[in-house]
């Protein structure tokens, strides 16, 4: 990291790293960025022992090597941080206080739980300057080895990384040791769209319903593809039984430690979905039953909760789990074969397998673009469907390979006539 340079063009690459092109380098004249040349890198490192000042060093090599060299220079300043008495727990307390007014209630609860359950036991009493990337990688491997769900470990890491990044922003940590941590490779798992149930299993799930309200919830999920929040927020005024349509206008969410919140459906995508004759008949029976019991609220919720408000979305999830166990839809370990959102995938998979156009399926699922539907359910397209691409082409009797009746000559003749 030594040497002198003739004055040329300084190309800013990323914060703290720039490339000093010499006067003989073509980049000095045309100012073209990203050129591969032998010009050295300028590394700017904050001098933490002298706050407010920086040091600049020259490095010759690759950009990856320049990044590593700058990180080594930053770590060399770490002894200056040893005098700070704060530990991760102290910084986390300030971080949560600063983020309380910026994060959504769900984000705050998720991060607070991840810190309390996974991060604080491992790093709460450790000064941030004593944590390095290897420590975090060992922590991730240990959590995965203890049988923690991978998604929970990912959430814990996604909480620790911005926490340490905030400490870096407070100028009390030179670099974020959580940046660049590599998770162990995820074992191959089936796509969520592949976790569906067959028609026979669907009928078994419906037979397990002991109440008409449970049957209609299952049918709305497995036949119309509604999400759980949309099911919880459905009103009788949203259902047009004669036309066999449901107008999806709202969804219910319930962040932890917060009340139920009504909002627009996912991505704000409202729309009309079709319902089957069986579902329309079941909803009609449910409405008649409500009237006979003295609850003819035609303007209210289809499935109200115990408090008269919307049903909790998690209650719908638990209901499907109980019905699956009652119907025997469990694997060898006792886990249910499908979750509530899997019923939505089942509805889409059954439609695509029956030959329904992908644009119609996208409209029923209320995807923002048909390409989203195609990406999720492309594995359901049978290879024989490719033959349909040429099914409309039929050879004509006068079509020959060569001579006056050749397709090539006819094509030229038609183009000439059009001109």
């Amino acid at each position: 990291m030594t040497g002198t340079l003739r004055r040329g063009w300084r190309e800013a690459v990323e914060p703290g790293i720039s490339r000093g092109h010499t006067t003989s380098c073509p980049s000095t004249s045309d100012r073209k960025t990203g050129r591969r040349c032998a010009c050295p890198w300028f590394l700017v490192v904050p001098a933490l022992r002298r706050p407010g000042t920086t040091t600049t060093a020259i490095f010759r090599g690759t950009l990856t090597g320049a990044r590593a060299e700058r990180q080594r220079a930053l770590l060399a300043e770490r002894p200056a941080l040893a005098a700070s008495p704060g530990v991760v727990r102290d910084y986390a307390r300030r971080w949560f206080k600063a983020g309380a007014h910026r994060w959504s209630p769900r984000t705050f609860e998720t991060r607070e739980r991840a810190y309390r359950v996974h991060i604080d036991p491992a790093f709460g009493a450790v000064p941030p300057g004593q944590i390095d990337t290897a420590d975090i990688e060992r922590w991730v491997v240990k959590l995965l080895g203890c049988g923690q769900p991978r998604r929970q470990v990912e959430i814990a890491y996604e909480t620790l990384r911005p926490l340490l990044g905030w400490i870096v922003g407070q100028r009390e940590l030179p670099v974020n040791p959580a940046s660049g941590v590599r998770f162990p490779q995820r074992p191959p798992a089936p796509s969520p769209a592949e976790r569906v149930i067959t028609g026979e299993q669907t009928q078994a799930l419906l037979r397990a319903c002991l109440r008409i309200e449970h049957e209609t919830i299952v049918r709305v999920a497995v036949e119309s593809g509604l999400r759980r929040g949309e099911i919880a927020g459905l009103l009788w005024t949203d259902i047009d039984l004669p036309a066999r349509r449901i107008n999806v206008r709202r969804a219910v969410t319930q962040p932890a430690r917060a009340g139920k919140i009504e909002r627009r459906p996912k991505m704000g995508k409202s729309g009309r979905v079709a319902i089957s004759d069986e579902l329309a008949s079941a909803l009609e029976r449910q409405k008649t039953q409500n009237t006979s019991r003295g609850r003819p609220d035609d303007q209210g919720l289809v499935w109200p909760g115990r408090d008269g408000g919307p049903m909790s979305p998690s209650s719908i999830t638990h209901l499907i789990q109980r019905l699956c166990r009652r119907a025997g839809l469990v694997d060898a370990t006792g886990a249910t074969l499908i979750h509530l959102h899997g019923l939505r995938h089942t509805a889409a998979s059954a439609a695509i397998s029956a030959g329904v156009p992908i644009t119609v399926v996208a409209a029923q699922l209320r995807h923002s673009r048909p390409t989203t539907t195609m990406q999720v359910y492309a594995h359901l397209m049978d290879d024989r469907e490719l033959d349909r691409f040429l099914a409309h082409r039929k050879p004509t009797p006068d079509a020959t390979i060569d001579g006056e009746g050749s397709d090539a000559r006819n094509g030229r003749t038609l183009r000439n006539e059009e001109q």
Side-chain angles (χ1 to χ4, degrees):
M1 295 176 58
T2 58
T4 58
L5 296 173
R6 291 182 293 168
R7 185 177 297 276
W9 174 53
R10 181 74 67 87
E11 175 191 356
V13 178
E14 58 186 55
I17 301 179
S18 60
R19 192 154 209 175
H21 296 284
T22 61
T23 55
S24 60
C25 181
S27 295
T28 300
S29 57
D30 60 17
R31 301 299 174 94
K32 182 179 180 181
T33 62
R35 175 176 276 122
R36 293 186 177 181
C37 58
C39 297
W41 306 91
F42 280 77
L43 311 180
V44 179
V45 180
L48 299 181
R49 293 187 177 90
R50 299 184 304 278
T53 63
T54 60
T55 59
T56 303
I58 299 175
F59 175 81
R60 298 179 184 274
T62 63
L63 176 58
T64 302
R67 290 169 176 159
E69 185 64 27
R70 183 172 183 270
Q71 179 139 346
R72 281 194 291 269
L74 288 170
L75 293 176
E77 299 287 342
R78 179 169 289 184
L81 302 174
S84 177
V87 293
V88 171
R89 186 177 298 118
D90 300 330
Y91 292 107
R93 202 173 289 118
R94 292 161 50 193
W95 182 59
F96 279 106
K97 183 177 180 180
H101 68 283
R102 293 184 291 106
W103 306 334
S104 67
R106 182 64 178 270
T107 300
F108 184 91
E109 176 66 22
T110 301
R111 288 182 169 178
E112 190 274 335
R113 182 183 184 280
Y115 176 83
R116 174 169 41 85
V117 175
H118 300 299
I119 299 175
D120 189 76
F123 302 112
V126 180
Q130 297 181 12
I131 302 175
D132 57 20
T133 303
D135 295 332
I136 299 176
E137 289 180 346
R138 285 192 293 268
W139 169 68
V140 168
V141 172
K142 181 179 179 180
L143 290 178
L144 293 174
C146 293
Q148 293 290 337
R150 186 182 181 92
R151 182 54 189 157
Q152 294 299 323
V153 179
E154 291 174 349
I155 291 175
Y157 168 70
E158 291 163 4
T159 301
L160 178 62
R161 183 176 59 183
L163 168 59
L164 295 178
W166 181 82
I167 299 175
V168 172
Q170 300 297 308
R171 305 182 68 86
E172 303 200 23
L173 194 65
V175 292
N176 188 344
S179 299
V181 171
R182 294 185 178 182
F183 271 61
Q185 190 172 8
R186 182 192 296 268
S191 168
E194 296 175 358
R195 295 195 286 268
V196 299
I197 56 178
T198 64
E200 295 180 357
Q201 292 172 329
T202 301
Q203 293 302 318
L205 187 62
L206 290 172
R207 288 193 297 269
C209 299
L210 302 181
R211 298 170 56 186
I212 186 64
E213 293 86 352
H214 297 170
E215 178 185 349
T216 51
I217 288 177
V218 173
R219 287 190 180 275
V220 164
V222 79
E223 296 178 7
S224 301
L226 267 65
R227 304 177 180 91
R228 69 173 190 171
E230 297 165 350
I231 296 174
L234 198 62
L235 301 176
W236 282 113
T237 53
D238 297 330
I239 303 176
D240 188 352
L241 290 177
R244 295 188 296 105
R245 293 292 184 271
I246 291 178
N247 296 307
V248 184
R249 297 191 177 99
R250 67 188 59 79
V252 175
T253 60
Q254 188 176 15
R257 299 185 183 179
K260 285 169 279 194
I261 302 172
E262 291 190 17
R263 58 175 178 81
R264 292 179 63 83
K266 185 177 181 181
M267 305 299 293
K269 191 69 173 177
S270 303
R272 286 166 62 88
V273 300
I275 62 177
S276 65
D277 294 331
E278 293 81 1
L279 176 54
S281 176
L283 288 170
E284 187 67 41
R285 294 198 309 272
Q286 179 177 338
K287 181 182 288 189
T288 302
Q289 186 180 94
N290 290 347
T291 303
S292 64
R293 293 178 179 176
R295 295 187 286 115
D297 189 4
D298 294 342
Q299 307 295 321
L301 294 158
V302 180
W303 300 283
R306 294 180 179 179
D307 57 355
M311 178 185 293
S312 172
S314 60
S315 297
I316 303 177
T317 300
H318 297 156
L319 170 64
I320 299 301
Q321 298 299 295
R322 293 197 303 271
L323 294 177
C324 284
R325 294 189 179 93
R326 189 181 299 163
L329 302 181
V330 295
D331 59 15
T333 63
T336 57
L337 297 180
I338 197 168
H339 299 282
L340 174 61
H341 201 74
L343 298 181
R344 175 178 169 89
H345 293 310
T346 299
S349 301
I352 294 175
S353 300
V356 178
I358 201 72
T359 53
V360 177
V361 178
Q364 178 77 4
L365 299 181
R366 285 157 292 108
H367 284 161
S368 56
R369 293 179 298 273
T371 52
T372 302
T373 313
M374 193 64 190
Q375 290 172 356
V376 176
Y377 301 103
H379 66 283
L380 297 174
M381 304 299 293
D382 189 32
D383 185 72
R384 290 172 297 182
E385 295 292 325
L386 298 176
D387 295 332
R388 299 177 60 183
F389 180 78
L390 300 176
H392 66 282
R393 299 193 51 164
K394 297 181 180 180
T396 57
D398 58 344
T400 59
I401 297 178
D402 52 10
E404 295 183 354
S406 65
D407 289 342
R409 181 181 178 279
N410 289 340
R412 289 194 298 270
T413 303
L414 288 174
R415 285 194 295 271
N416 292 335
E417 291 176 356
E418 291 176 356
Q419 295 175 357

